[in-house]
Amino acid sequence: MPEQTTPPVASLAELGRLFFKLGVIGFGGPAAHIALMEEEVVTRRGWLSREHFMDMLAATNLVPGPNSTEMAIHIGYVANGWRGALLSGTAFIGPATVFVLLLSLLYTRYGSLPTATAVLYGIKPVVVAVIAAVTWRLARSSLKSWRVQVLAGAALVAALAGVDEVLIIFASGAAGLLLARVAWPGMAALLVLPVLTPMSALAADRRLWQLALFFLKVGALLFGSGYLLIAYLERDLVNSFGWLTHSQLLDAIAIGQMTPGPVLTTATFVGYLVAGWQGALVATVAIFLPSFVIVFSMGPLLPRLRRSPQARLFLDAVTAAVVALLVVTLARLALAALTDLLTALVALVALAALLQRKVETVWLILGGALVGLLAQAIR
């Protein structure tokens, strides 16, 4: 594994505490997770500059795997080398895995999910506020030149038109180089997407091997949103293998939504349904393993890319696309979460607190959960 070449900016204990906390409170999916990380490591602790954070986010969007998990690993690597990367990634994934495993046990025993409607009712508006605050900060710091503003506008239009996220990101990066009249042949290597043979077909009949190979394939090919996992599950595990029913798939999606941490811990639930606790462990390790490999490969290269004028132009353009995609994600989540006057009020109060930087996100999330429970009790 690569050794760290710069002094640590955070201790292993600090990294462990932070990412365990984020793994516990990280409701709302990848966009919310990245917003929480930006709030903690840039705004509150100053471990990274906002420019460095956005470079890492842009690079993460260019490779497969769950973005928020890879960001946790990246931050750990920058802060304390490969040990920090292992600790940050594991601490972020761990709480969600435990929560999902416990819910899997309850599900198989009682045949249904414990209700969390009231809690999610109050938490979702806070998540919207968190994403809105970080999107505003990132846009203000990143979209400074007319070139990146034009690219952000074009990416926004493309996203609203339903163009694939990965295509938007790569097209924005290529357009950034063209606008600046810069040709850098090495950048072409980043435009080659990996094409892997579906490994599940090579697996033996044993379900643990099939689970491992299937989720390794997903972890290695999952570009864009972690929610693309749902399409893979429906196509292969429901239609091809017949391991899950459509009803169980919907329950698996609900598990991913109602628990904090990475959305891909849905794999833990699926693995448990297919092959018990061993299946849950195999599926979890398999889907996240490619992310660690990818980040360990990219980590030593990122500082060199940041010093290259050509790569700087490319990453600036990709950052513009990332901001545009965050805006679209924010709009969609707001439509789903702000269903009445109370949720709109919760979101506005949380947004005001975040922009003033006077309240930690964890307290806002707990406050949102309390509002949801109180609203249910009153009704």
Side-chain angles (χ1 to χ4, degrees):
M1 289 184 183
E3 291 292 336
Q4 187 182 21
T5 58
T6 57
V9 299
S11 68
L12 293 176
E14 289 175 313
L15 284 170
R17 284 194 299 268
L18 172 61
F19 282 100
F20 180 81
K21 182 183 81 169
L22 294 180
V24 171
I25 69 169
F27 289 91
H33 303 159
I34 290 169
L36 289 169
M37 291 177 194
E38 192 273 347
E39 176 73 19
E40 293 287 351
V41 304
V42 176
T43 304
R44 293 191 178 278
R45 289 170 170 79
W47 291 348
L48 301 175
S49 67
R50 186 160 286 111
E51 180 186 66
H52 193 174
F53 184 89
M54 287 302 295
D55 286 348
M56 292 165 59
L57 181 57
T60 298
N61 276 278
L62 294 175
V63 296
N67 291 350
S68 59
T69 302
E70 289 179 348
M71 281 297 291
I73 302 169
H74 264 300
I75 292 167
Y77 181 85
V78 172
N80 207 315
W82 66 266
R83 296 177 184 84
L86 283 174
L87 180 60
S88 297
T90 304
F92 182 61
I93 297 166
T97 302
V98 173
F99 292 151
V100 171
L101 189 56
L102 290 175
L103 289 175
S104 302
L105 292 169
L106 292 173
Y107 181 86
T108 54
R109 174 167 296 186
Y110 298 109
S112 62
L113 297 175
T115 182
T117 304
V119 172
L120 291 177
Y121 170 83
I123 287 177
K124 286 179 180 178
V126 177
V127 170
V128 169
V130 170
I131 299 173
V134 75
T135 301
W136 166 249
R137 285 198 292 264
L138 294 178
R140 189 173 58 180
S141 63
S142 303
L143 307 183
K144 293 182 177 179
S145 72
W146 69 267
R147 289 187 177 90
V148 293
Q149 290 167 5
V150 168
L151 290 173
L156 181 62
V157 171
L160 291 173
V163 178
D164 183 78
E165 293 177 352
V166 177
L167 181 58
I168 291 173
I169 289 167
F170 279 96
S172 183
L177 293 176
L178 291 174
L179 283 175
R181 298 180 181 179
V182 172
W184 187 37
M187 194 60 70
L190 293 176
L191 302 178
V192 179
L193 304 183
V195 179
L196 300 180
T197 301
M199 293 181 288
S200 55
L202 305 177
D205 291 337
R206 295 174 60 184
R207 286 194 171 187
L208 285 178
W209 279 107
Q210 288 177 300
L211 277 172
L213 291 168
F214 170 75
F215 282 111
L216 274 173
K217 178 191 72 174
V218 172
L221 294 177
L222 194 68
F223 281 91
S225 171
Y227 293 107
L228 293 178
L229 171 66
I230 297 168
Y232 285 113
L233 293 176
E234 199 272 339
R235 183 188 64 195
D236 291 345
L237 299 192
V238 177
N239 296 332
S240 297
F241 297 162
W243 289 348
L244 299 179
T245 66
H246 279 94
S247 176
Q248 288 174 321
L249 176 60
L250 290 173
D251 289 340
I253 296 167
I255 284 282
Q257 292 292 316
M258 67 186 291
T259 52
V263 174
L264 294 196
T265 48
T266 297
T268 306
F269 180 77
V270 171
Y272 189 88
L273 292 186
V274 173
W277 68 268
Q278 291 175 312
L281 179 62
V282 166
T284 305
V285 171
I287 201 167
F288 287 110
L289 181 60
S291 295
F292 285 91
V293 174
I294 288 167
V295 173
F296 282 134
S297 301
M298 288 177 58
L301 299 176
L302 195 57
R304 191 181 309 168
L305 289 175
R306 294 182 72 236
R307 290 192 296 268
S308 166
Q310 294 86 355
R312 175 78 266 157
L313 291 167
F314 186 84
L315 291 175
D316 283 348
V318 169
T319 296
V322 169
V323 170
L325 292 172
L326 278 175
V327 171
V328 175
T329 300
L330 173 63
R332 290 171 179 165
L333 291 178
L335 288 173
L338 309 184
T339 56
D340 52 31
L341 183 60
L342 179 58
T343 50
L345 182 61
V346 170
L348 286 174
V349 171
L351 180 60
L354 287 166
L355 293 178
Q356 293 295 322
R357 301 176 182 176
K358 293 182 178 179
V359 182
E360 284 203 36
T361 307
V362 60
W363 299 115
L364 293 174
I365 290 175
L366 291 175
L370 180 60
V371 168
L373 292 172
L374 290 174
Q376 184 187 56
I378 292 171
R379 289 168 181 168

